[in-house]
Amino acid sequence: QMSVTDWRSLKQILLVTLLPLPYMLHVIWNQHASVSRWHYSDALRVSGTFAYLGANEFAAFCVTMAVVLSALLIAVRLSRTWRIVVAGGLACMLLGVMWSYSRTAYIALMVGVIAVVLLWRGRWKVLVPLFAVALIAQQYLPASVVERFDSTTIEQGKRDESTEMRFEFWAIAWDNFTEHPLFGSGFHTFHHREINPMHMDTHNFFMRELTEKGICGFMITIGMLLSIVAACWRTLRAAPHGSLGYGLALGMIGAWLALMLGNCFGDRFTYYPMIGYFWVYVGLVLKAHVLRDAEYAPQTPAAAASPPRFAQPRNRPA
């Protein structure tokens, strides 16, 4: 936020965030090609450039980028060069989401893009094309992706092992919270065996905040998250339609909704490789609001406050 001094420097930072995306796609393509198969298997889940994190975390990063870039592409009046750059970055991130085989990411991406389209003032322009793309795309998705998405269910007795384990973690976390409701059991304690015999994370960011930090810490976290979306909403309402500030704010609201959904099934907020760009874009949205206010602030010439020194009164006393 402090590095941006005008719209030109804001665009420069935005461009810098897009430069690594083709390389990230290159890495995930190499990983995917080495394990590719027709039917779904857990071996297909690759993490791209996130060496010490999993496929879900990499997918969450791709979802944030994809939602923001989709908003820039449809809602901002960009030059042809910028449209090509943004569209290329969007394609990289969509493929990253697809090859991550993260069911949460699939749903979060849809929620984020739908939010962007519904909030955009010119949404009628893309409703029909978006619907057509959705119908056509499902015919060309790999069979393994379709199988992975179709396995999504929370109905008891039909859950896969990964989903079933999450319900067990949440039950343990809730029991621990009821024992320490005010301040929780302490930061980064849930995975300890004396609290969680399975020695695993809660796989739910909100539940972990509740069980480790109690009501007090949980409310602070929720307040911070709400302040982020409130700042983006203020920028969206104030920015001119079609401006860069409008597109960034619109994309970040959609990305925020996708992030909240992802946090219900894992930690999509605290790992810095995954959330770094999110904070960069929060800073750009805040700065866009400042730049917009500076442009539309009333300009009162200093000379209007007092007459020039050389001005002489019309009626001079004798």
Side-chain angles (χ1 to χ4, degrees):
Q1 184 183 6
M2 299 301 294
S3 301
V4 176
T5 57
D6 52 22
W7 291 109
R8 182 172 180 269
S9 55
L10 190 149
K11 285 185 176 181
Q12 289 174 341
I13 291 181
L14 179 60
L15 177 62
V16 168
T17 63
L18 300 181
L19 294 179
L21 302 188
Y23 172 74
M24 299 176 76
L25 176 63
H26 171 71
V27 172
I28 195 173
W29 164 252
N30 286 338
Q31 294 176 353
H32 172 74
S34 65
V35 295
S36 179
R37 62 184 65 184
W38 182 264
H39 294 289
Y40 173 75
S41 168
D42 286 342
L44 290 172
R45 309 206 63 203
V46 296
S47 57
T49 54
F50 286 19
Y52 299 103
L53 296 174
N56 289 326
E57 287 75 23
F58 179 75
F61 171 87
C62 293
V63 167
T64 295
M65 290 299 298
V67 174
V68 172
L69 294 180
S70 65
L72 294 178
L73 194 61
I74 68 172
V76 180
R77 291 187 290 268
L78 298 172
S79 65
R80 179 179 298 179
T81 301
W82 264 100
R83 284 194 172 277
I84 294 173
V85 172
V86 171
L90 176 59
C92 292
M93 294 295 94
L94 290 177
L95 290 173
V97 173
M98 184 179 70
W99 287 329
S100 70
Y101 292 93
S102 172
R103 293 170 296 185
T104 302
Y106 294 160
I107 299 174
L109 177 62
M110 289 189 292
V111 169
V113 171
I114 290 172
V116 165
V117 173
L118 292 180
L119 290 174
W120 180 40
R121 297 170 192 169
R123 55 184 173 269
W124 58 270
K125 298 178 183 178
V126 297
L127 284 178
V128 174
L130 191 64
F131 182 71
V133 168
L135 290 178
I136 296 172
Q138 63 180 348
Q139 305 298 325
Y140 294 95
L141 288 175
S144 54
V145 173
V146 176
E147 290 175 357
R148 179 63 170 169
F149 188 83
D150 288 343
S151 67
T152 305
T153 180
I154 60 174
E155 186 178 349
Q156 191 170 5
K158 297 183 180 180
R159 308 167 188 156
D160 59 13
E161 182 180 0
S162 176
T163 305
E164 189 65 40
M165 291 297 292
R166 279 175 166 79
F167 281 89
E168 295 185 20
F169 299 149
W170 299 344
I172 296 172
W174 182 258
D175 291 340
N176 184 60
F177 163 70
T178 58
E179 296 178 5
H180 311 88
L182 194 56
F183 298 109
S185 58
F187 173 71
H188 205 54
T189 57
F190 180 77
H191 68 284
H192 293 171
R193 293 192 184 277
E194 60 269 23
I195 296 177
N196 180 10
M198 298 182 183
H199 194 57
M200 293 287 286
D201 185 67
T202 57
H203 288 74
N204 182 310
F205 172 76
F206 301 112
M207 188 65 74
R208 193 181 68 192
E209 292 295 291
L210 199 61
T211 190
E212 290 187 347
K213 301 175 185 176
I215 289 292
C216 293
F218 180 79
M219 295 306 298
I220 291 173
T221 301
I222 295 299
M224 177 188 64
L225 294 173
L226 291 177
S227 69
I228 292 172
V229 73
C232 295
W233 182 256
R234 285 195 298 269
T235 301
L236 181 70
R237 295 292 299 272
H241 178 56
S243 66
L244 184 56
Y246 177 85
L248 282 171
L250 179 65
M252 282 302 295
I253 291 175
W256 184 89
L257 290 171
L259 181 67
M260 294 305 101
L261 177 59
N263 279 332
C264 292
F265 299 94
D267 183 353
R268 308 290 184 260
F269 192 71
T270 62
Y271 298 113
Y272 73 88
M274 175 183 57
I275 203 63
Y277 272 26
F278 181 88
W279 284 114
V280 170
Y281 290 146
V282 168
L284 293 183
V285 169
L286 294 175
K287 195 64 176 186
H289 191 81
V290 173
L291 293 175
R292 183 266 174 195
D293 286 348
E295 287 179 348
Y296 287 85
Q299 300 295 326
T300 304
S306 58
R309 295 180 183 178
F310 54 81
Q312 299 295 330
R314 293 183 179 180
N315 299 317
R316 298 186 63 181

